[in-house]
Amino acid sequence: MNTARIQNTLETLFQDSARWLHPGRRVVFWYDPEQQFISSFNELQLEGVKKLQLADTAFTVKYHLLVEQPNQTFLLYAPFAEPAPQENWLLDIQKSGLTFSADPAALIYADLGLRSRRLEIIIREQIKFFKSRKRTEALQAIGISPDSDERELLLAMLSVLAGLKVPDTGTLIRRVLLGGLLETDNALWSDIERFVSAEAFWEVAVEYTDLPKKHPSLNKLFTQLLVTHFAISLHGVIPPQLANQVISPGQRAYAFIDQWMRDQQDSSGWKTLSSEVAEQLQIFDAIENLEPEVLFEAASFEVVDQVLIRTCVKKLQTQTGQQKTELASWRTWLQTRHTLIWFPKYEKIYQALEAAIAILEFKQQYTGGFRQSAPVLFKAYASDLHLFDRAYRHFIVASDDAQGDILKGLIEDIENLYTQWFLDGLGEAWSDALSDHWELEGIASQSKFFGRHVFPILERSDREKVFVIISDALRYEVASELQEVIYKEMRGETELEAQFGVLPSVTRLGMAALLPGSKLELIPGDDDVRIDGLSTKGTVARQKVLTENSRVDSTVLNAKDLLAMSTEEGRLIVQPYRLIYIYHNVIDAIGDQASSERQALSACGTAISELLRLVKKICNSINGTNVIITADHGFLYQRCPIQEADKRPLPSGEAILESKRRYLLAREQVNDSTLLQFSLPYTENGIVAIVPRGSLRFAVQGAGAQFVHGGASLQEVCVPVITYHHQRAVKGDDGPARKVGVQVSARVRRVTNNRFSLTLVQTDAVEGKWRSRQITVALYDPQTNIPITDVRVTNLSSTSIYPSDREISLRLTVTTINPPTNVYLIVKDADDESELLKEPWAVSLGIANDFGDF
């Protein structure tokens, strides 16, 4: 053995105060039964340390150490084996000091700074581990406490093999399991068997998880941990074939799996292992008949989502007929899935199911049909009925992106419900309510747009600018969603109004109706529409109309061009003008093409995003204050192909001046009582507009019949006007929007079972400036600030004005075996982990009950 190495080790041993239990003089015993290190002992030069080779009687040595030199530090070298305790007359001195050995295990023991002599034996037994310098240095870097016991040393060694920087039983077990559940194929497991021992791993694993000690294996370990987590998630309703896999007590198993699932780095590996076990245990067969109220909080296996989705689809398919049903529970159950681990994979399916529920709930509200006068029905569409179109759009967009064929039957049912009950029913009621003059008492006409919305702002001040955004085919239901988004995202005030659109509901006429002027003139067969004799075709012509008829400096911009400009470019281009018309075309550009009309509804989402960006650019970058968003017309859309029965023969004859799928212009009325015929206020010589009833189309050659406009349906002629007045930030302003708050609803703040329920109340409805919020909820140890329960994630997203509808019930599981009696319930914002609520709770667990309730 190198004398220098021995010298360095002994110097460290004498100088490191952490290794000594007392502040007095230090005595180190060195037993060398093979007398290998006599020469090394003689060569040692230790400052402040007196060397003494034991040869005299123990009495002489003790007298010398205790009486003659009681304060001197000694290295006592014994060229013989350590005596048995009952024969060791120097045992009292040896117990107050340290024992040194120069064999490899002893030197490692000394280098690690350990105190328990038992650990030197462990090191000697595991000497293979220390033959690697890399492993030894990693163990030293971990910084083991001098007072470590055997379990703590072995855990540190196992942690080194797992690549951990600090000893951690939970992470160690996770790393081993991530290596594979079959020991023969698990490289880390092979290292554990080779360099430490399988027994050492199972000692810490059994203690940490409560796994039964009999015949442990990696597959058994993960399976039982997972099934235990599953059993607790099921509120105790465990399938009989899985009952023998449940660990009791199960808190530790539940906590282990719960933490692993929420770990961003390791959750993907957990998913792989979970799917492997699900296949082994045939979990789908075991749970396919369980009720959704049992399953809805469980996420231990992916097949739970599959079972819930199948069950929900079947339930909804049975409700597309006439009978009523209570769908609120399903809505709650599906929303609970949003925060669980498998949700991203099935997000589009869940979105489609939630939209289908909204459609069915809506239908239940209108079992009596839609028969009303035209003004009342128009107002009803603007206030409520348009939400059916929105839900249908959300359903189609989500189902288009959903994986698999699980929604195939439901898609057909929802499509039939939308087209046959809503479009046909509403269309018939609306058609019957209309008169033969294209006007609606008490409803503002689209042709009055400029005078009602733009001119008052220009007249109010000679300095205010007005930005008018015209989005082609921005249907009212899309605009209502946009208005909600603007209201939440922006700082100002916004309102949505419905105006009665022009007929035919086509771009050239709708765009012209939004310009200033007194006389709107539609000429059949001409692509142009005139205002006060001025052309409105194209950008140059519209800018001329704006400037001449508004009597203010005006300009026309393209939305995409403005969005692409820098802040400086945007400010420069609008600086000379008070009136800026911005034309935006996303929905119509997609829908009016037969090759892309299938994407028309998804284009609505794109339009909402672009228009929000545009409003933000106007207000935040180029200092706009007054923004008005409107449309030239809406549209009709249905996903299923148009059947021949839904088409009407196209009238012919010299009287027909212009014909499209949704309208005709004619010199006079035609003799067909199945058509609607209107006299128009902006045509001369008795020209009439002729449209098919409801959502029917004329039989026109060519593709592209699913996305249409030009007719008189509410979806086409209920034209939105969003007015937004931006408010600048001022000192002390809290910002454009706030997230909703949360409170706890409980008579007592006490936990009496391992599994308990907790009711939270969302303090504000999600509307206007109040945004939804995702939160985490758990009980925390006040000393360590570590959760003693699983950490539940939930969304505060209710729009109800009634507090009882905004209650959220959560189930928490105590995951600590001996929790403190006084804890804190802490609710945090999931985005920034800020504490929203912190209140003291008491824990008073009686007999452990894994499946108890609060």
Side-chain angles (χ1 to χ4, degrees):
M1 174 64 67
N2 188 306
T3 301
R5 168 74 192 281
I6 296 174
Q7 170 105 11
N8 291 336
T9 302
L10 284 168
E11 286 176 348
T12 300
L13 200 61
F14 278 108
Q15 296 170 9
D16 188 359
S17 297
R19 306 185 189 215
W20 297 86
L21 297 175
H22 57 80
R25 63 96 173 261
R26 296 171 180 179
V27 178
V28 172
F29 283 73
W30 179 2
Y31 291 102
D32 181 17
E34 304 296 329
Q35 301 181 13
Q36 302 176 67
F37 303 107
I38 292 177
S39 60
S40 295
F41 173 74
N42 292 329
E43 294 174 16
L44 289 175
Q45 299 293 326
L46 299 171
E47 184 177 355
V49 178
K50 185 172 182 179
K51 300 189 298 180
L52 178 63
Q53 181 170 328
L54 299 183
D56 296 331
T57 64
F59 176 79
T60 302
V61 174
K62 182 172 288 191
Y63 181 82
H64 184 57
L65 266 61
L66 298 180
V67 177
E68 295 179 340
Q69 294 183 290
N71 298 316
Q72 175 64 47
T73 295
F74 279 96
L75 171 63
L76 303 182
Y77 174 75
F80 48 79
E82 181 179 358
Q86 62 271 24
E87 298 176 0
N88 189 350
W89 296 100
L90 299 176
L91 184 62
D92 54 340
I93 298 176
Q94 185 175 330
K95 287 294 185 181
S96 68
L98 296 177
T99 302
F100 170 75
S101 178
D103 71 348
L107 290 175
I108 293 168
Y109 168 81
D111 289 343
L112 292 174
L114 301 171
R115 289 198 182 109
S116 172
R117 291 296 303 281
R118 167 64 184 160
L119 299 189
E120 184 179 334
I121 299 173
I122 299 301
I123 293 171
R124 193 168 283 108
E125 292 173 348
Q126 310 291 342
I127 199 64
K128 279 187 178 181
F129 176 93
F130 297 95
K131 288 185 177 179
S132 163
R133 181 178 177 181
K134 182 178 179 180
R135 288 194 295 269
T136 303
E137 290 177 348
L139 186 64
Q140 289 174 319
I142 278 180
I144 307 173
S145 168
D147 295 319
S148 295
D149 57 19
E150 178 179 347
R151 178 195 172 282
E152 290 167 332
L153 173 61
L154 290 173
L155 174 60
M157 294 167 65
L158 292 168
S159 297
V160 167
L161 295 180
L164 306 183
K165 300 300 182 184
V166 294
D168 183 82
T169 306
T171 308
L172 167 65
I173 296 172
R174 188 190 300 178
R175 289 283 177 270
V176 172
L177 293 173
L178 283 170
L181 302 184
L182 189 63
E183 284 85 350
T184 55
D185 295 336
N186 188 315
L188 177 53
W189 183 257
S190 297
D191 284 347
I192 289 173
E193 289 189 313
R194 182 179 177 187
F195 298 117
V196 185
S197 70
E199 292 74 15
F201 173 80
W202 289 121
E203 281 292 327
V204 296
V206 166
E207 179 183 354
Y208 190 81
T209 65
D210 291 324
L211 179 77
K213 295 181 179 181
K214 189 176 181 180
H215 307 305
S217 71
L218 297 183
N219 187 279
K220 180 179 179 181
L221 171 61
F222 184 74
T223 298
Q224 294 198 228
L225 290 172
L226 193 60
V227 172
T228 302
H229 181 273
F230 188 44
I232 294 176
S233 302
L234 293 177
H235 313 159
V237 184
I238 184 71
Q241 56 268 55
L242 301 178
N244 64 342
Q245 300 281 4
V246 178
I247 299 171
S248 181
Q251 297 103 306
R252 287 175 172 168
Y254 183 91
F256 175 80
I257 294 296
D258 183 71
Q259 292 167 7
W260 190 350
M261 290 167 66
R262 290 186 286 108
D263 188 285
Q264 292 184 351
Q265 179 180 345
D266 290 340
S267 61
S268 60
W270 175 88
K271 289 180 180 179
T272 300
L273 297 178
S274 171
S275 298
E276 185 179 326
V277 171
E279 186 175 349
Q280 291 174 10
L281 299 180
Q282 298 180 323
I283 298 295
F284 186 91
D285 295 339
I287 68 171
E288 62 176 336
N289 294 320
L290 290 181
E291 295 297 325
E293 57 264 32
V294 172
L295 285 173
F296 78 99
E297 287 186 316
S300 313
F301 299 101
E302 180 182 357
V303 292
V304 173
D305 291 81
Q306 296 170 3
V307 169
L308 281 171
I309 288 169
R310 287 172 184 262
T311 305
C312 185
V313 168
K314 290 178 182 178
K315 182 68 173 178
L316 297 184
Q317 285 188 270
T318 64
Q319 303 303 330
T320 53
Q322 296 299 314
Q323 70 266 40
K324 286 187 175 183
T325 184
E326 177 53 59
L327 296 165
S329 294
W330 267 111
R331 187 172 62 250
T332 299
W333 296 333
L334 296 184
Q335 288 174 350
T336 300
R337 306 303 295 176
H338 286 207
T339 59
L340 301 181
I341 190 169
W342 303 101
F343 176 75
K345 182 174 182 179
Y346 297 98
E347 180 176 6
K348 296 303 179 182
I349 295 179
Y350 282 124
Q351 289 176 352
L353 293 177
E354 289 171 15
I357 289 172
I359 289 171
L360 293 171
E361 288 180 323
F362 182 92
K363 181 177 182 294
Q364 292 174 9
Q365 299 175 33
Y366 288 88
T367 53
F370 308 102
R371 295 293 169 181
Q372 298 284 351
S373 68
V376 171
L377 196 51
F378 186 90
K379 292 177 181 178
Y381 183 81
S383 63
D384 295 306
L385 292 174
H386 71 275
L387 296 174
F388 199 100
D389 287 311
R390 188 200 290 191
Y392 173 74
R393 170 168 59 87
H394 288 170
F395 177 81
I396 292 298
V397 171
S399 60
D400 279 350
D401 294 334
Q403 62 175 0
D405 297 326
I406 185 66
L407 297 176
K408 186 175 181 181
L410 182 61
I411 291 171
E412 183 178 344
D413 290 345
I414 294 296
E415 186 70 28
N416 290 337
L417 177 61
Y418 179 70
T419 57
Q420 297 173 16
W421 178 77
F422 183 69
L423 287 185
D424 291 352
L426 180 61
E428 283 296 314
W430 174 244
S431 298
D432 290 342
L434 290 169
S435 68
D436 59 355
H437 293 281
W438 190 249
E439 57 187 6
L440 218 53
E441 183 179 355
I443 305 298
S445 170
Q446 185 181 17
S447 61
K448 306 298 183 184
F449 164 79
F450 193 90
R452 294 188 72 251
H453 296 283
V454 182
F455 185 72
I457 301 175
L458 296 175
E459 191 178 45
R460 187 169 63 208
S461 166
D462 60 1
R463 300 182 63 182
E464 286 196 70
K465 294 179 184 288
V466 182
F467 294 82
V468 178
I469 303 171
I470 303 171
S471 184
D472 203 327
L474 183 70
R475 190 159 71 170
Y476 186 87
E477 57 91 1
V478 183
S480 74
E481 185 172 332
L482 171 63
Q483 188 255 351
E484 292 171 6
V485 172
I486 292 173
Y487 197 82
K488 294 174 183 177
E489 293 284 334
M490 302 293 288
R491 190 182 299 273
E493 299 176 354
T494 181
E495 293 181 358
L496 173 65
E497 179 182 306
Q499 58 187 3
F500 191 44
V502 293
L503 189 70
S505 50
V506 292
T507 297
R508 74 179 192 274
L509 183 58
M511 291 294 185
L514 299 171
L515 296 169
S518 57
K519 184 180 179 182
L520 186 64
E521 185 181 2
L522 171 66
I523 301 174
D526 190 346
D527 287 343
D528 197 4
V529 175
R530 290 176 175 79
I531 290 183
D532 298 339
L534 298 174
S535 170
T536 62
K537 183 179 180 180
T539 299
V540 174
R542 291 174 188 172
Q543 184 165 342
K544 181 179 180 181
V545 173
L546 285 173
T547 302
E548 292 192 12
N549 288 0
S550 70
R551 299 187 297 277
V552 299
D553 292 329
S554 308
T555 190
V556 172
L557 300 175
N558 180 279
K560 288 190 179 297
D561 293 340
L562 182 56
L563 285 171
M565 292 178 188
S566 66
T567 297
E568 183 178 355
E569 289 170 338
R571 289 177 177 175
L572 285 174
I573 202 167
V574 304
Q575 192 274 331
Y577 306 105
R578 289 192 60 208
L579 179 58
I580 300 97
Y581 264 49
I582 303 167
Y583 289 93
H584 176 260
N585 187 9
V586 169
I587 300 172
D588 202 66
I590 297 294
D592 256 353
Q593 303 296 321
S595 60
S596 60
E597 69 172 350
R598 186 178 177 86
Q599 283 76 49
L601 296 187
S602 63
C604 295
T606 304
I608 290 172
S609 299
E610 282 194 9
L611 291 168
L612 177 63
R613 285 176 54 213
L614 195 57
V615 174
K616 287 183 175 181
K617 178 133 191 162
I618 291 169
C619 298
N620 298 334
S621 298
I622 56 180
N623 299 323
T625 299
N626 303 298
V627 181
I628 303 171
I629 305 171
T630 187
D632 50 350
H633 55 76
F635 63 87
L636 273 174
Y637 181 87
Q638 64 185 68
R639 175 51 59 86
C640 63
I642 307 301
Q643 303 300 315
E644 290 303 315
D646 296 326
K647 297 178 182 179
R648 288 293 173 264
L650 192 65
S652 59
E654 294 183 359
I656 306 301
L657 302 174
E658 184 175 324
S659 59
K660 299 293 181 181
R661 288 190 190 278
R662 283 287 292 161
Y663 73 93
L664 305 175
L665 293 178
R667 292 192 181 92
E668 58 188 28
Q669 292 192 1
V670 299
N671 186 21
D672 190 337
S673 60
T674 66
L675 301 177
L676 301 178
Q677 308 189 52
F678 302 95
S679 59
L680 304 177
Y682 30 80
T683 60
E684 297 179 350
N685 303 322
I687 292 175
V688 295
I690 303 170
V691 298
R693 293 173 63 85
S695 60
L696 300 176
R697 278 81 159 161
F698 285 123
V700 175
Q701 292 293 327
Q706 289 162 264
F707 176 95
V708 291
H709 56 87
S713 71
L714 284 165
Q715 287 84 354
E716 295 165 286
V717 302
C718 183
V719 177
V721 179
I722 299 174
T723 56
Y724 175 69
H725 183 77
H726 189 60
Q727 295 177 350
R728 305 289 167 199
V730 295
K731 187 174 182 180
D733 191 348
D734 289 335
R738 295 180 180 180
K739 294 181 180 180
V740 296
V742 62
Q743 293 178 345
V744 176
S745 176
R747 292 190 302 274
V748 292
R749 267 65 172 169
R750 181 180 297 276
V751 177
T752 58
N753 279 296
N754 290 328
R755 183 80 167 165
F756 65 98
S757 293
L758 173 70
T759 300
L760 301 176
V761 179
Q762 177 184 318
T763 56
D764 315 278
V766 175
E767 62 175 354
K769 290 299 183 185
W770 291 107
R771 295 187 191 176
S772 61
R773 186 197 294 268
Q774 188 173 80
I775 60 172
T776 63
V777 185
L779 292 181
Y780 288 80
D781 186 321
Q783 300 299 321
T784 64
N785 205 34
I786 294 174
I788 68 158
T789 65
D790 51 344
V791 179
R792 293 300 308 274
V793 181
T794 190
N795 290 317
L796 304 178
S797 57
S798 174
T799 59
S800 175
I801 62 174
Y802 304 107
S804 59
D805 293 339
R806 301 198 299 267
E807 291 185 352
I808 301 170
S809 181
L810 299 176
R811 287 180 178 269
L812 296 176
T813 300
V814 177
T815 57
T816 304
I817 295 298
N818 296 306
T821 56
N822 296 305
V823 298
Y824 281 115
L825 174 72
I826 300 179
V827 180
K828 299 180 182 180
D829 186 294
D831 292 335
D832 58 14
E833 295 193 348
S834 59
E835 288 187 4
L836 307 177
L837 183 150
K838 181 178 182 180
E839 59 180 42
W841 278 56
V843 177
S844 180
L845 301 181
I847 299 174
N849 178 7
D850 289 339
F851 308 110
D853 207 350
F854 184 63

